[in-house]
Structures are given as C-alpha cells and as structure tokens.
Amino acid sequence: MTLEALTVELDVLQIEAEKAFAGAADADALELARVEYLGAKSGRLRSAQKGLGAVQGPDKPAAGKRFNAAKQAVEAAFTAAQARIASLTAARPAGPMFDRTLPGIRPRVGHLHPLTQTIEELKDIMGRLGFTVASGPEIEDEWHNFEALNIPAAHPARDPLENFYLTTARHVGESLRDSQRGSESPDRGKPLLLRSQTSTVQIRVMETQQPPVRIISLGRVYRPDTADATHYPMFHQIEGLLVDRQVTMADLKSVLRLFASSFLGGDVHIRFRPSFFPFTEPSVEVDMSWHDTKTGAGRWIEMGGAGMVDPNVLRAVGYDPEVFSGFAFGLGVERVCARRHNVGDIREFYRNDVRFLEQF
Ligand code: PHE
C-alpha cells in the first residue's frame, strides 16, 4: 500500500466516522457506529492500521503520523457523541414521562340539574315553614286527577285533547288492580292518564290522613301543550296544601310571600288576581314581580294558581267543611327557576346542552 492510498482511506474514514457519530440519535445507534469504526477486531480503523504495516520504507513515519491523527479525531468524535447522548438521556429518563411539578388535570365533576337544585331548595324552604313532602304516582286515575278535585265529567279540562290518556297503561292498570284487588274491583277498566297537575296528591294525602295537614308535593305533570318559551308538554309543579281549623286567605298570602322572598330575594312582590279553579273557592292566579333596576318599573309574571280548598273537595275526602278549611297552591318549578336565573326559555332546561347546564 502507498502512503497516498492510505491517506485517502483515512481521510474518507475520518469524515464518515465523524458524520456517523454526530448523527447517532441514541445510545444504540452510537454503539453500532462505534463497532463499525472503532471495533477492536474488525472496525474500519483497525483495518486501516493493518494497511499501515504495508507502507514501505521512508513513507512509514508519515503514514504512522497520519494514522494517529485520524485515530484521535475519530475517538474525539465518539467521545463528543457519547457526551451528547448522555445529556439527552439524563434530561429524559427512560419510562413514561412524569413531571410532578405540573398542575394536575382536574376531573370533570357533574352536578345536579338546575331543576333538581330548585326542587331541593323549595323543599328546604317549605320544610322550614313546617310542610312535609308527600308524593303520588305520575299515572293517575280520573278520580284523583279530576273527580275528587270537583272537576265533573263534562268539564272541558277532561277533554282527551287536553290530557295524555293512556290506552295501554289502562290495560296494564286493569290487570295490576285485578290481581291486587280481585276482578270485582270498582276501578276495573277505568281510564288512566298522566297526571296533569300535582293537585292529585292533595286528594291522596287527605284520603289517608286527618287534619291538620301541611304538605307539599313536587313532581312532573303532563299536558299536550306545544313547547314554547313558557310551555313544555312535561313540566314540574310544586303544590302546597294546608288544612286545619280557621285557615284563611291571609295565611295563604303570608306563606306564598315568605316562600317567594326566600327563594327569589327580598325585593319580590306578590299579587293575587281573581281566577277560577274547580277545586278552590275563591281562586287566584299568583303573580310575582321584580323592580327593573333601570326603569324602576315592575313586571308581573304569572307563577301559578292558588285558593281556598273548595268545600266539595273537603267533602269528597271525608272532611267536614264546617270544621276545617284550607288553602292550596300550585306553582311551576320551571318558571320560578327560570325567573331566578334569568333564563328566557324553559326549553333550555331540557336541551341537555352542557354549555347551559354547566352554569348552575
Ligand atoms: N292545579 C292548578 C294548575 O295546575 C294550580 C292550583 C293548585 C290552583 C292548587 C289552585 C290550587 O293550574
């Protein structure tokens, strides 16, 4: 081998080795490059060293010098690459990354629906006024939804177009009742419907309990109304009933005022407008108002109905109207909730859009 040939070989080797070491991305790649260039048995530097022995006479010292220079350069390139990769590995340890200084990921916790929150709060307020919670079925018979409430068969409120009568459930009801009470049951074959008001619960409570009665009932009611900003075919009512000796309309108004100011704030005004319900006499519509902070004007919003329990209703459940009197009221839960949170459209409560629900 000539000095010239050896020099060329070493030049090429050095350039390639430096490139390979600089380009090694990790410890494994670097080790492969090390074996190729610096391997003790068959590395390329080792084979160049063998060529060195074949260089003749006076060229020998120059060849040796060139070889040593190349060896040092390649080794230096290797050491530099080793340091580079060591620093990479130190910054990013093996295994999954875990930085305990980063803030945690907050789990998304759900919460109660605004209507449920409202219902809970209403129960709480009325509970403090001494009213206990009563409940009744959502599938009702005509006795509890109408007749006992002084709504006779010919009354327009019983129109099939105004109610959700259940053809199927009627038969289910039949077989349920028949098995419970025997096929001679007087209820056999009577129509059933989704209750259109929570006043049904008044009857159920009074049928099983003697005065004094002081209950509220909260729940779903159903009417075939077209959904709009203030109506929905299913909504919630809170019903209150108080029966005792010498109950007056002043008691009704005080309770409703306390109720309204506890739930909606001290600046709420309430107003009674004469109205009619078959099961109360006299009957009123209950309006509530807030003073507009800009104009100072109050806007009255209808929240529900109320009145003194009609003597016919007391008689229907076996109370003596000469001894006992009572008041009842029924308010829309969606309406009071919407009023409190300034929601303009009660359909929002049923869209299940988390962007809406998250705000409560
Ligand atoms: N049940 C009536 C309604 O749904 C409201 C009401 C309840 C009125 C109790 C008077 C007394 O419209």
Side-chain angles (χ1 to χ4, degrees):
M1 158 152 317
T2 64
L3 173 61
E4 223 162 88
L6 183 73
T7 307
V8 171
E9 186 187 336
L10 287 169
D11 284 350
V12 171
L13 190 155
Q14 186 180 332
I15 290 166
E16 286 181 358
E18 281 167 352
K19 214 171 125 189
F21 291 145
D26 55 26
D28 290 346
L30 181 63
E31 176 59 11
L32 281 179
R34 189 195 65 78
V35 171
E36 180 176 354
Y37 293 99
L38 293 169
K41 277 193 197 138
S42 51
R44 284 173 59 180
L45 212 58
R46 180 84 191 115
S47 5
Q49 196 178 15
K50 284 177 194 153
L52 185 62
V55 177
Q56 298 303 313
D59 285 340
K60 236 181 155 103
K65 225 173 145 191
R66 177 68 193 100
F67 175 80
N68 284 336
K71 188 175 178 221
Q72 271 169 21
V74 171
E75 278 171 354
F78 172 71
T79 316
Q82 218 175 15
R84 175 176 55 81
I85 284 167
S87 76
L88 278 184
T89 353
R92 189 158 46 80
M97 271 252 277
F98 178 70
D99 182 349
R100 61 196 163 116
T101 64
L102 285 176
I105 300 166
R106 187 189 286 265
R108 261 175 95 106
V109 181
H111 61 75
L112 294 177
H113 190 277
L115 289 177
T116 312
Q117 291 179 26
T118 304
I119 286 171
E120 292 304 316
E121 201 169 322
L122 297 181
K123 281 183 189 168
D124 199 52
I125 292 170
M126 294 306 289
R128 277 183 263 140
L129 295 175
F131 288 76
T132 54
V133 177
S135 59
E138 288 178 30
I139 297 178
E140 265 297 3
D141 50 40
E142 292 185 300
W143 168 255
H144 292 97
N145 203 80
F146 300 125
E147 247 135 80
L149 288 163
N150 204 27
I151 307 175
H155 196 281
R158 293 178 66 157
D159 193 314
L161 294 176
E162 299 291 327
N163 295 284
F164 287 114
Y165 280 93
L166 303 178
T167 335
T168 323
R170 174 178 162 178
H171 299 302
V172 175
E174 258 171 55
S175 48
L176 266 178
R177 289 209 185 89
D178 292 350
S179 60
Q180 280 162 4
R181 308 184 192 172
S183 51
E184 297 311 308
S185 159
D187 289 341
R188 190 187 157 92
K190 292 241 177 93
L192 294 171
L193 71 159
L194 296 178
R195 68 179 178 192
S196 61
Q197 49 186 355
T198 42
S199 304
T200 53
V201 183
Q202 294 182 27
I203 303 302
R204 289 186 173 273
V205 170
M206 290 190 286
E207 277 174 342
T208 54
Q209 198 176 312
Q210 285 303 305
V213 169
R214 200 184 265 238
I215 55 112
I216 52 162
S217 151
L218 290 119
R220 297 186 191 100
V221 297
Y222 303 82
R223 293 178 196 176
D225 286 335
T226 306
D228 63 23
T230 51
H231 296 86
Y232 208 75
M234 185 275 296
F235 61 100
H236 296 73
Q237 284 189 326
I238 170 171
E239 184 94 9
L241 171 72
L242 189 149
V243 182
D244 206 341
R245 288 166 207 268
Q246 293 171 342
V247 177
T248 70
M249 213 140 169
D251 300 318
L252 170 63
K253 200 159 189 178
S254 323
V255 166
L256 283 176
R257 182 180 292 131
L258 268 171
F259 168 83
S261 57
S262 312
F263 186 70
L264 295 163
D267 55 342
V268 177
H269 297 257
I270 86 165
R271 161 177 101 173
F272 283 176
R273 255 182 311 123
S275 184
F276 175 80
F277 297 102
F279 36 91
T280 45
E281 181 57 37
S283 302
V284 293
E285 304 274 358
V286 183
D287 295 344
M288 296 185 189
S289 128
W290 290 258
H291 290 294
D292 190 308
T293 40
K294 278 185 219 123
T295 64
R299 196 160 72 90
W300 293 102
I301 296 171
E302 185 190 320
M303 289 294 174
M308 302 306 291
V309 182
D310 193 290
N312 285 343
V313 175
L314 296 174
R315 255 178 239 118
V317 296
Y319 288 4
D320 182 354
E322 298 301 326
V323 180
F324 297 109
S325 57
F327 68 71
F329 63 85
L331 308 176
V333 173
E334 280 78 354
R335 287 194 182 172
V336 288
C337 179
R339 190 50 249 169
R340 169 148 170 195
H341 298 293
N342 245 322
V343 174
D345 189 330
I346 67 165
R347 285 170 293 189
E348 294 292 354
F349 293 125
Y350 298 107
R351 287 202 177 108
N352 274 342
D353 185 333
V354 276
R355 290 168 301 177
F356 172 78
L357 296 174
E358 262 170 2
Q359 300 175 47
F360 295 90

